[in-house]
Amino acid sequence: MAKDVIIALDFENREKTLSFLDQFTGEKPFVKIGMELYYAEGPAIVREIKARGHRIFLDLKLHDIPNTVKKAMRVLSGLDVDMVNLHAAGATAMMTAALEGLTRPDGTRPLLIAVTQLTSTDQESMERDLLIREPMDEVVMHYAATAAAAGLDGVVCSPLEAGKVHGRCGGSFLTVTPGVRFADGDAGDQKRVTTPARARELGSDYIVVGRPITQAGDSVAAYRRCVKEFLGE
Ligand code: C5P
């Protein structure tokens, strides 16, 4: 199975994004484009980064009625991205509609990953605001299992949950995991962090790494270190 490091391109505009990517002359990292950059620059930035040869995880977390998500996914699939996501809270009908929309005439499609509960939601706010009373762990695993049953490829989760997700949903169900920091690095606002090597041991398939690479003095060296630690090469 492909394991890789995905760099979170959390930049506000095209100029800053491309000057960051220009530093990479020897390799073409897998990158994540989120809402900030996508809403600022639109689909043109996706096409431009794709044309430079990068694989792209388009992190737009879709959540709407099945018909709307299906049509939106068809548009995203046409951008030739490699991975997209949605909220599992949209339920099974929305997830299967998303898969239909993503599938291209030739049968290929980007990987489809589910967000379970946002890490900003805790047990208290889930019970109070969402009226979900089960323990967070069970809710996350139930959403993952529902996504797997709908035919999705994986979930976004903490590396600390990767083993449990694989146990419940199968070893080939992908775990895409943020919250990664170097052992000697600054955690920033991430609360539960693991190193790239520990993420590998815990079974992460893809680690999503932002600031430890984007804010490093030498981003290319930080990326290479991350790949080396995660892939154990
Ligand atoms: O800079 P840092 O490495 O913390 O960036 C992590 C990336 O992963 C950010 O783009 C963040 O939005 C995303 N993310 C996260 N935690 C989640 C889901 C996504 O940190 N639960």
Side-chain angles (χ1 to χ4, degrees):
M1 179 178 316
K3 293 211 173 217
D4 213 342
V5 173
I6 302 178
I7 305 179
L9 296 179
D10 292 325
F11 297 106
E12 66 204 49
N13 59 34
R14 171 181 181 273
E15 191 193 355
K16 287 184 180 164
T17 307
L18 297 187
S19 74
F20 170 77
L21 291 176
D22 282 343
Q23 299 172 80
F24 293 85
T25 51
E27 58 263 281
K28 295 285 180 194
F30 200 143
V31 297
K32 177 171 90 70
I33 296 175
M35 291 186 205
E36 182 187 16
L37 183 59
Y38 187 77
Y39 291 148
E41 301 289 352
I45 190 70
V46 177
R47 292 194 189 95
E48 189 165 7
I49 292 173
K50 190 72 195 174
R52 284 171 163 240
H54 296 273
R55 281 165 297 148
I56 297 175
F57 170 19
L58 192 53
D59 177 18
L60 299 180
K61 300 185 180 71
L62 276 68
H63 188 177
D64 208 319
I65 59 170
N67 186 52
T68 301
V69 168
K70 178 177 172 177
K71 291 195 284 186
M73 286 296 190
R74 185 163 293 148
V75 175
L76 300 185
S77 187
L79 289 174
D80 200 22
V81 294
D82 300 277
M83 186 185 286
V84 295
N85 61 359
L86 49 64
H87 278 280
T92 301
M94 189 198 79
M95 291 193 268
T96 50
L99 282 171
E100 280 174 36
L102 278 181
T103 306
R104 304 179 183 111
D106 66 0
T108 64
R109 65 168 174 80
L111 293 170
L112 182 58
I113 304 297
V115 174
T116 57
Q117 283 291 343
L118 293 170
T119 44
S120 50
T121 304
D122 60 11
Q123 186 72 35
E124 190 195 338
S125 58
M126 191 173 69
E127 291 186 14
R128 186 190 57 226
D129 299 346
L130 308 181
L131 222 60
I132 298 173
R133 309 234 186 255
E134 284 73 19
M136 178 62 80
D137 253 26
E138 276 175 36
V139 175
V140 167
M141 288 307 144
H142 178 69
Y143 280 30
T146 306
L152 269 70
D153 302 296
V155 284
V156 180
C157 64
S158 160
L160 303 165
E161 296 160 354
K164 216 169 166 186
V165 169
H166 285 140
R168 176 88 179 253
C169 304
S172 59
F173 191 65
L174 301 171
T175 52
V176 179
T177 67
V180 174
R181 292 293 180 267
F182 292 120
D184 51 4
D186 179 6
D189 57 355
Q190 295 280 12
K191 301 251 184 298
R192 296 157 75 221
V193 297
T194 52
T195 62
R198 184 77 186 122
R200 180 189 74 233
E201 288 162 16
L202 291 167
S204 293
D205 296 297
Y206 292 91
I207 53 172
V208 177
V209 187
R211 289 160 291 180
I213 295 174
T214 58
Q215 307 299 310
D218 183 343
S219 290
V220 176
Y223 171 71
R224 287 184 182 152
R225 177 182 172 192
C226 207
V227 170
K228 194 160 181 254
E229 289 187 17
F230 182 56
L231 300 182
E233 286 167 353

